[in-house]
């Protein structure tokens, strides 16, 4: 074995070196030269497996979970979307958690707060709300809602049918830094928070192309905590005739914090993109493994050597530095999220836009 490579077994290692490794190991020392090239790879070697979850196949499991446990007992009744490469680790990518949450009519998910920030992307249902720091917002399919780090939040379903949304959390980023705090329902304001502000307050204060001259809301998260799909979709439709189309992304926009112009969340970058019927994107790859949710339409995405056909509510993941390209069979809208904002700030984000 080449001694510059890591040894899976050490029987080919020179006895003098092996003896040295054993004695230095007892002093909690290890030779870098045995592991250098697995620590520092020439390019990303993502362990993430490309994968697609068909919503039709997982929806019955969500309904079955409702028979087994209440939202209250579960605290959050979520089925984790586990990357097949990371079974038991609650990871959809190395840095991000994702899951599908279901809440039935009359149920509440009690208030709690934690260091981890969450995004909600609404899949189906109507009549449920989420409350963030004392303000409720009604959730409708396609809406994107931000729950910033350390804000009290609870959910309730005042409608007549099941409500399902996708959760995305920066759990594994916080875990890397060992910076997790949580305050549970017991320490919180009770069963469900009583709203301190009327619904629509944040949208009026921060989301009308106006900002208060004496602001009270600094911080890295967007104070516009709900981005309703009706507005997002109308914007894409209004732009489609004249907007420059990207060969790699179609018509793709980031969700922005209106105070800073940065991503809506500091740890999770979120995007919406329109791919018109028959549009085929050129191969693209970046260092951020990305989760996509089909909002409307149908199409397929080639990820590395595999091809995934998707329709409404299907969820799929493309690993870091693996080329992918989309093809829309009908007008299609994709929501996506990744750790791109973090990597950009830390200075190592890279992307490649291939010809073709
Ligand atoms: C959480 O607090 C929510 O508040 C959803 O709805 C999913 C996954 C892991 C840890 C906390 C929520 C979560 C979560």
């Amino acid at each position: 074995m080449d001694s510059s490579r890591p040894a899976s077994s050490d029987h080919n290692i020179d006895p003098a070196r092996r003896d040295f490794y054993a004695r230095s190991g007892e002093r909690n020392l290890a030779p870098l030269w045995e592991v250098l090239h697995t620590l520092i790879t020439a390019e990303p070697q993502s362990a993430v497996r490309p994968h697609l979850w068909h919503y039709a196949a997982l929806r019955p499991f969500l309904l079955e979970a409702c028979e087994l446990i209440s939202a209250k007992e579960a605290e959050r009744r979520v089925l984790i979307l586990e990357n097949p490469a990371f079974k038991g680790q609650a990871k959809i990518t190395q840095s991000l958690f994702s899951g599908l949450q279901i809440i039935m009519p009359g149920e509440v998910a009690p208030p709690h707060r934690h260091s981890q920030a969450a995004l909600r992307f609404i899949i189906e249902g109507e009549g449920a709300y989420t409350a963030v720091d004392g303000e409720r917002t009604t959730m409708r399919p396609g809406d994107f809602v931000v729950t910033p780090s350390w804000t009290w939040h609870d959910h309730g379903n005042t409608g007549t049918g099941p409500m399902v949304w996708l959760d995305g959390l920066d759990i594994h980023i916080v875990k890397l830094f060992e910076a997790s705090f949580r305050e549970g329902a017991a320490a919180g304001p009770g069963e469900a928070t009583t709203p301190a502000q009327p619904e629509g307050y944040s949208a009026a204060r921060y989301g009308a192309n106006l900002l208060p001259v004496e602001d009270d809301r600094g911080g890295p998260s967007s104070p516009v905590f709900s981005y309703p799909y009706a507005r997002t979709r109308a914007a894409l439709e209004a732009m489609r005739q004249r907007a420059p189309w990207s060969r790699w992304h179609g018509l793709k926009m980031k969700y922005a914090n209106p105070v800073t112009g940065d991503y809506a969340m500091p740890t999770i970058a979120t995007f919406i993109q329109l791919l018109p019927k028959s549009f085929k994107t050129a191969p693209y790859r970046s260092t951020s493994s990305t989760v996509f949710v089909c909002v409307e339409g149908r199409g397929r995405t080639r990820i590395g050597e595999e091809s995934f056909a998707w329709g409404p509510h299907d969820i799929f993941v493309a690993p870091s530095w693996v080329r992918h390209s989309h093809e829309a069979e009908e007008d299609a809208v994709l929501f996506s999220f990744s750790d791109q904002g973090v990597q950009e700030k830390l200075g190592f984000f890279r992307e490649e836009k291939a010809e073709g």
Side-chain angles (χ1 to χ4, degrees), residues 42-311:
E43 52 181 66
Q45 310 278 336
S46 184
V48 171
R49 207 118 31 95
H51 191 73
L52 180 142
W53 289 263
H54 283 293
Y55 187 65
L58 62 81
R59 189 177 187 276
F61 289 98
L62 286 170
L63 293 172
E64 197 179 332
C66 297
E67 306 287 318
L68 296 173
I69 192 164
S70 67
K72 196 172 172 191
E73 190 194 347
E75 193 163 326
R76 297 297 186 262
R77 191 170 46 217
V78 175
L79 285 182
I80 304 170
L81 297 165
E82 283 203 320
N83 191 281
F86 306 130
K87 286 275 175 60
Q89 296 181 53
K91 287 180 168 182
I92 191 161
T93 67
Q94 289 282 23
S95 58
L96 300 175
F97 167 100
S98 193
L100 286 167
Q101 182 161 178
I102 183 162
I103 178 163
M104 294 303 251
E107 287 191 315
V108 296
H112 69 192
R113 62 176 174 173
H114 36 69
S115 309
Q116 294 79 359
L119 69 84
R120 326 279 170 204
F121 190 75
I122 317 311
I123 303 290
E124 68 161 297
E126 54 187 308
Y129 63 84
T130 183
V132 176
D133 261 351
E135 183 179 332
R136 285 185 182 180
T137 188
T138 302
M139 297 186 279
R140 297 182 182 86
D143 293 358
F144 159 57
V145 180
V146 179
T147 306
S149 173
W150 206 242
T151 52
W152 286 103
H153 54 283
D154 59 286
H155 322 293
N157 186 346
T158 49
T160 55
M163 183 88 195
V164 178
W165 63 84
L166 176 135
D167 290 308
L169 286 90
D170 54 11
I171 286 177
H172 305 287
I173 299 175
V174 176
K175 189 168 185 200
L176 174 67
F177 294 105
E178 301 183 315
S180 176
F181 289 90
R182 164 172 67 83
E183 272 178 15
E191 280 277 296
T193 41
T194 314
Q197 265 123 239
E199 178 154 3
Y201 179 83
S202 294
R205 191 164 172 81
Y206 303 99
N209 292 327
L210 299 167
L211 291 172
V213 294
E214 291 182 343
D215 203 2
D216 46 346
R217 290 281 283 272
S221 261
S222 174
V224 178
F225 72 99
S226 177
Y227 294 74
Y229 189 59
R231 289 190 66 185
T232 303
R233 187 68 182 87
L236 293 172
E237 203 56 36
M239 278 183 285
R240 69 183 294 161
Q241 301 304 332
R242 294 298 301 269
W245 290 84
S246 161
R247 290 177 56 203
W248 298 276
H249 302 300
L251 176 50
K252 186 171 183 178
M253 311 290 284
K254 73 173 188 188
Y255 288 90
N257 174 341
V259 179
T260 61
D262 206 340
Y263 297 106
M265 305 172 68
T267 48
I268 312 181
T270 54
F271 305 90
I272 195 86
Q273 76 196 104
L274 175 66
L275 301 166
K277 182 175 161 60
S278 303
F279 197 92
K280 193 173 186 312
T281 63
Y284 173 85
R285 60 179 175 171
S286 85
T287 50
S288 287
S289 297
T290 303
V291 180
F292 293 89
V293 184
C294 172
V295 194
E296 314 176 10
R298 297 197 168 272
R300 51 182 59 248
T301 297
R302 193 172 175 80
I303 306 174
E305 298 305 309
E306 293 173 80
S307 181
F308 298 91
W310 40 260

Side-chain angles (χ1 to χ4, degrees), residues 278-346:
S278 303
F279 197 92
K280 193 173 186 312
T281 63
Y284 173 85
R285 60 179 175 171
S286 85
T287 50
S288 287
S289 297
T290 303
V291 180
F292 293 89
V293 184
C294 172
V295 194
E296 314 176 10
R298 297 197 168 272
R300 51 182 59 248
T301 297
R302 193 172 175 80
I303 306 174
E305 298 305 309
E306 293 173 80
S307 181
F308 298 91
W310 40 260
H313 313 323
D314 292 344
I315 300 148
F316 58 97
V317 57
S320 165
W321 216 241
V322 174
R323 288 189 187 92
H324 55 272
S325 53
H326 310 292
E327 185 170 5
E329 281 158 28
E330 1 174 302
D331 276 7
V333 178
L334 297 176
F335 172 81
S336 57
F337 63 99
S338 75
D339 57 22
Q340 180 173 343
V342 178
Q343 291 198 29
E344 286 173 350
K345 280 176 196 69
L346 299 183

